[in-house]
Amino acid sequence: MPPTARPGTPPRPAREPHAGADAGHGMPPTAPPGPGREPRAGAGAGHGVRVPSAVTPATPASPHSTGLAPDPSLSWSAPLTPGGAPGPTRPLVSFGEPEGYDADARPRPLGRRGASQAAAAAVCLVLGLGLVSGAVTGSWLAGDSGEQGTRSAFTAAGSLWHSVPVDQLFPRTVQGRGAGPGGADRTWTRIAVAPDSGCRDAFDPLLRKALAPAGCARLLRATYTDATESHVTTVGLLFTTADAAGMTSLANRFRKERLDRRSDLMPLPYAAKGTPAADFGAGQRAAWTVSVLTEAPVVVYAVSGWADGRSVDDPQPAEDAVASGATSAPAQAGLGHEAQGLADRIERDLRKNVRSATDRPS
């Protein structure tokens, strides 16, 4: 039974908790209110909304108080001043941007890229797209990709000399839009086709020696004249026996040693009797071009001259004869444009024929 007070003895006042009791006097610390007994905002708040215990700052215990009720003015439900602004004592809460650290351990907001990072990302994107677009553009045939497609095109190109009609390799009429001097149009008409043959008598000794590493499977030639029959041009397709590596090696040699610009390595024309090219001999060669393909076992060349049989003392590579400001006789006559323009279009037709051959179901 609990002890009872003696009659006539006044009751002792309740002992208030000492402010430092929980610091070293063996008294347990004051327990926080339970989850179901959160203190309410005081009457000054006027709303009776519960105060989140994790947010409301605790009010220091007063020696004259008997509880730990929070200050109503710090409540979430404290009234606003007129106009909707927070009161002077109402807590203001702002949420800062999350921070990270850069390479120098300096804080920076997350989610933002520095100017250097953005520039680096843009450069990487452009380079990546450039590499991809370069690989696609470099593919010789549309629709072919990868090593298998390249081998297929290379093999197909090597067999065109006996599988494609001559009119497809050397069309009877070739249109050269913008191929003449100053961007003038050109039209070339085929006047002779040489029988397909080997290369024994088709080149001067030095050119034959330069082309020898690639071998000679077949040589096809045709001679054209312009619309006025003033100029004649022989175009040749040399089908070699080399593989892709051999053609690449030959092309590199021609480029590094500039063999395509040496006048002692000019191709020979094909002069057909009874045509405007009947007098088109070695001495009448005025401009020429030689192109060693790496996507096909083919060397494409062209050589041009006057149809009246006049000799030329200063022949020029077509690349030089078409240059702006060239003053040589072949350049002034447009013979560089004749050789280069016709060779380019015969090469385009060759590529179209290879595409048709590779697209055809086996």
Side-chain angles (χ1 to χ4, degrees), residues 79-184:
L80 302 175
T81 60
T89 59
R90 184 175 183 178
L92 296 177
V93 179
S94 63
F95 297 91
E97 296 181 351
E99 291 187 339
Y101 295 89
D102 60 15
D104 297 325
R106 294 175 297 190
R108 63 171 177 80
L110 293 178
R112 293 183 181 177
R113 293 181 181 268
S116 61
Q117 288 178 313
V123 170
C124 291
L125 177 61
V126 171
L127 289 177
L129 292 176
L131 289 174
V132 173
S133 62
V136 174
T137 305
S139 179
W140 200 57
L141 299 174
D144 274 340
S145 61
E147 187 177 354
Q148 183 61 39
T150 302
R151 285 199 302 265
S152 176
F154 192 92
T155 302
S159 62
L160 290 181
W161 64 271
H162 63 75
S163 61
V164 174
V166 65
D167 285 350
Q168 288 183 229
L169 295 175
F170 298 119
R172 294 178 180 274
T173 302
V174 177
Q175 299 294 334
R177 299 184 184 279

Side-chain angles (χ1 to χ4, degrees), residues 275-353:
T275 70
D279 296 324
F280 188 21
Q284 284 69 45
R285 293 175 293 183
W288 78 96
T289 179
V290 179
S291 177
V292 180
L293 306 185
T294 57
E295 310 89 346
V298 180
V299 176
V300 182
Y301 69 85
V303 57
S304 62
W306 278 279
D308 59 7
R310 76 182 72 175
S311 60
V312 179
D313 297 328
D314 56 345
Q316 271 192 310
E319 183 178 354
D320 292 345
V322 301
S324 177
T327 59
S328 66
Q332 294 294 319
L335 288 170
H337 291 84
E338 299 290 321
Q340 182 169 287
L342 191 53
D344 286 346
R345 279 147 187 83
I346 295 300
E347 183 179 325
R348 292 180 192 177
D349 288 340
L350 175 71
R351 295 175 184 273
K352 292 178 182 178
N353 285 304

